[in-house]
Every structure is written in C-alpha cells, then in structure tokens.
Amino acid sequence: MRVCVICPALGNAGGKAFVGGQENNAVHVSQILAKRGHHITIVTTPHLHSTHGAGNTGLDWAEVHSLPVHSPYASFRYGVEWMAGAVQKVKQLSRSQRFDIIHGHSGYPMPALITGMAGRFSKTPSLHTLYCPILPVKGWRPYQLLSHSSLSRFYLGSVTCLGVLSQNTRQSVEKLGLQSAKIKLVPPGIDLSRFNGAISKVEARESLGIEGRGPFLLA
C-alpha cells in the first residue's frame, strides 16, 4: 500500500526530537507502516528548530518532501502557505505515486481541508486524524472566524473518513452534525520498547543525547 502522510514540522529534523503530539504520533504510525512493508511518502514543512529550510528530512524509511514556508509557525499566513503547497505537492506526486490513501494529521479542524482537497484532486480516499476536541470559538480574529462550527463541519466533512484519538474528541465532532459512521475512534499507539526496564540509564541518556548524570524531566 502507498500512503501519503500530510503533517507539518517533520522535515530536516537532523536528529532532533519532534515537537508536538501530532508530529510524534504521525511519525510513529508511519514508521510502523513502513516496517510492515508499506511505502510511505510524507509531505511536510521543516522541523521547528531546523535551520536548513526545505529538503531531505533524514527519515530513511520514508520518502519525504519538506516544503518551504516563510511565515511564522502557527500564524494565519503559515497556514495559507502550508495549505497551498501541500495540496499542490500531493497533486503532483499522485501522478506518479498512485497513492492508495491520503492521511492527514492536525490538532484543529481547518487542516482537514488540506487532506480533503488533496484526496479529491488526486482521486484518492482520504483519512484525517484529529487530535483535539473542538471547543467553542470566541473572538473576531481571522483564525477564530475560520474556526466557526459551520466551517469546522465543512473542513472535517471534506475527508472520506475522520479519525479521532479520544471519546471526548468524538463527541465534540458529533455535535457539529457529522455522520457517526464517518468517525472512527482509534487511540494513539504506544511503543512499549521505549519503556524497556532492561535498558540502563546510561544507554537511555545516550540514545536521547543527554549528557551528565544529574536529574532531568521529560514533559
């Protein structure tokens, strides 16, 4: 199976840890699929701490296309650049890749439109995983107006299937009026090998690139 993953901030990591739950889960799920023999293509933007711009991300188990975005991360302009670039790139790649599924990831509803448009233009089934429940929007800023419940319903309704990670998120989506049959509850997976008690503290520190012997806190 050929899978196209759409998720920002995965490019040019250079060995750095990925920032954010959706980024880490997208990488984890994609890596598992790659180990099972599926071909993974990732359309993304540079890592939040990357200084190399667009280019190869260094993930040897996936074909990665890191798109240049010049606006500040999470800004309205960033979203517009990301949407335009990602849809165009998937449309371009689909001519030769012939994807079996488009899989997008986001914490908010609006990026689901990228997944839906990419799937429609490439004539491919689309799955979008939503990580956070939809909360009432208050305010008049552009991104707040674009997150109105009716627009959120439009974004999420553009995909073939909507995945949610929790019952809380599912309930918030159902309140928008989306068909329950379209919503699939799939909790995030956990790599149990990371919690192997047989690995020494020294080895664990080395694998994470942490020097010294003092205490440290992971949040």
Side-chain angles (χ1 to χ4, degrees):
M1 185 169 68
R2 305 184 75 87
V3 182
C4 179
V5 177
I6 303 177
C7 182
L10 300 182
N12 322 101
K16 299 183 179 68
F18 292 107
V19 180
Q22 72 181 38
E23 290 83 0
N24 280 280
N25 192 60
V27 168
H28 176 63
V29 171
S30 300
Q31 191 171 23
I32 293 298
L33 290 174
K35 288 181 179 179
R36 294 182 178 180
H38 302 291
H39 184 275
I40 307 298
T41 298
I42 298 178
V43 176
T44 186
T45 58
H47 187 281
L48 294 183
H49 300 302
S50 171
T51 59
H52 304 293
N56 187 354
T57 186
L59 300 179
D60 56 5
W61 44 266
E63 176 184 332
V64 181
H65 298 268
S66 182
L67 309 179
V69 177
H70 305 290
S71 302
Y73 182 74
S75 67
F76 177 73
R77 288 182 300 169
Y78 185 101
V80 172
E81 285 189 67
W82 165 230
M83 175 179 291
V87 172
Q88 182 61 31
K89 175 57 71 172
V90 175
K91 183 179 179 181
Q92 174 190 340
L93 291 171
S94 65
R95 296 169 185 165
S96 57
Q97 295 277 14
R98 296 183 179 180
F99 299 120
D100 294 295
I101 189 168
I102 308 292
H103 187 187
H105 299 257
S106 73
Y108 302 95
M110 190 174 181
L113 187 59
I114 301 176
T115 307
M117 291 175 63
R120 183 170 301 176
F121 288 147
S122 63
K123 298 180 180 179
T124 305
S126 56
L127 162 66
H128 191 84
T129 298
L130 183 66
Y131 287 73
C132 304
I134 300 173
L135 302 175
V137 176
K138 299 180 180 179
W140 298 96
R141 294 183 179 180
Y143 73 90
Q144 293 172 322
L145 293 174
L146 290 172
S147 299
H148 190 272
S149 58
S150 58
L151 287 175
S152 294
R153 181 169 60 250
F154 170 69
Y155 306 145
L156 299 174
S158 68
V159 299
T160 308
C161 181
L162 178 66
V164 295
L165 274 65
S166 68
Q167 191 64 249
N168 190 25
T169 302
R170 177 176 189 138
Q171 291 173 354
S172 71
V173 171
E174 289 177 336
K175 289 180 181 179
L176 296 178
L178 261 68
Q179 297 179 354
S180 297
K182 192 173 187 175
I183 308 169
K184 305 298 180 183
L185 174 59
V186 182
I190 299 174
D191 184 0
L192 296 179
S193 65
R194 295 186 176 185
F195 303 94
N196 187 352
I199 299 178
S200 70
K201 294 181 179 179
V202 174
E203 292 175 339
R205 282 178 177 271
E206 290 177 351
S207 67
L208 294 171
I210 300 174
E211 300 178 355
R213 296 182 174 275
F216 64 92
L217 175 67
L218 299 178

